[in-house]
Amino acid sequence: MPTPSMEDYIEQIYILIEEKGYARVSDIAEALSVHSSSVTKMIQKLDKDEYLVYEKYRGLILTPKGKKIGQRLVYRHELLEQLLRIIGVKEEHIYQDVEGIEHHLSWDAIDRIGDLVQYFEEDESRIKALRAIQKLNDN
């Protein structure tokens, strides 16, 4: 199982490949706000652990294992963003809040959050009822 730091890299590499068709060290470093040397070290570790295949000066590709984990990590991130929007968290706080909690939840908790998001999205009146409660509590 990848560490939280490894997860951040796998998720970002997956996103870059999906968006651009490739992921360069410089792109990963910029997206994660780290030095290129840190990216190179982590890529070598991810290669050793078979999450990706890295060839110096040629680039990298995710292995099937890395791609599957990348998809799950993106799903987790998007699901937590959905939940925070549903429960009324201000948009400017959502990204940072998700970054702060995503590595601390089990996949069982993520599945239950998925159920909760589905519950609210299946019936708009549930979200309206939640907003009414929030309005009462904000006064």
Side-chain angles (χ1 to χ4, degrees):
M1 209 54 201
T3 65
S5 180
M6 291 166 76
E7 286 183 347
D8 287 340
Y9 279 85
I10 294 168
E11 180 180 8
Q12 195 55 56
I13 291 166
Y14 179 84
I15 290 168
L16 285 166
I17 290 172
E18 287 296 302
E19 289 176 356
K20 299 169 90 171
Y22 59 89
R24 296 182 313 202
V25 168
S26 59
D27 297 326
I28 299 164
E30 182 180 336
L32 295 175
S33 301
V34 297
H35 292 99
S36 294
S37 59
S38 298
V39 174
T40 300
K41 285 179 191 168
M42 181 59 79
I43 285 174
Q44 290 166 344
K45 179 165 180 37
L46 293 170
D47 183 26
K48 183 172 116 357
D49 291 350
E50 300 180 346
Y51 293 106
L52 57 79
V53 176
Y54 174 62
E55 294 180 29
K56 200 170 183 179
Y57 308 116
R58 301 212 58 202
L60 58 95
I61 59 166
L62 289 170
T63 62
K65 171 181 161 180
K67 191 171 186 175
K68 181 179 178 183
I69 289 174
Q71 288 170 329
R72 286 193 71 186
L73 296 172
V74 168
Y75 166 77
R76 177 180 73 187
H77 191 101
E78 290 172 351
L79 182 67
L80 291 170
E81 284 185 355
Q82 277 181 281
L83 174 68
L84 296 183
R85 281 189 188 93
I86 287 170
I87 64 172
V89 173
K90 291 181 177 132
E91 196 63 37
E92 63 265 23
H93 298 138
I94 289 177
Y95 181 81
Q96 199 60 40
D97 286 347
V98 169
E99 286 297 310
I101 64 175
E102 66 184 340
H103 299 296
H104 301 284
L105 297 171
S106 69
W107 285 103
D108 182 43
I110 295 298
D111 290 341
R112 300 299 66 81
I113 288 169
D115 296 341
L116 185 62
V117 167
Q118 181 181 349
Y119 171 80
F120 278 106
E121 289 183 340
E122 283 179 351
D123 187 343
E124 185 70 26
S125 69
R126 294 169 180 156
I127 295 175
K128 289 179 183 175
L130 177 61
R131 295 289 177 263
I133 291 168
Q134 290 170 333
K135 192 172 185 177
L136 285 173
N137 290 334
D138 285 344
N139 291 332

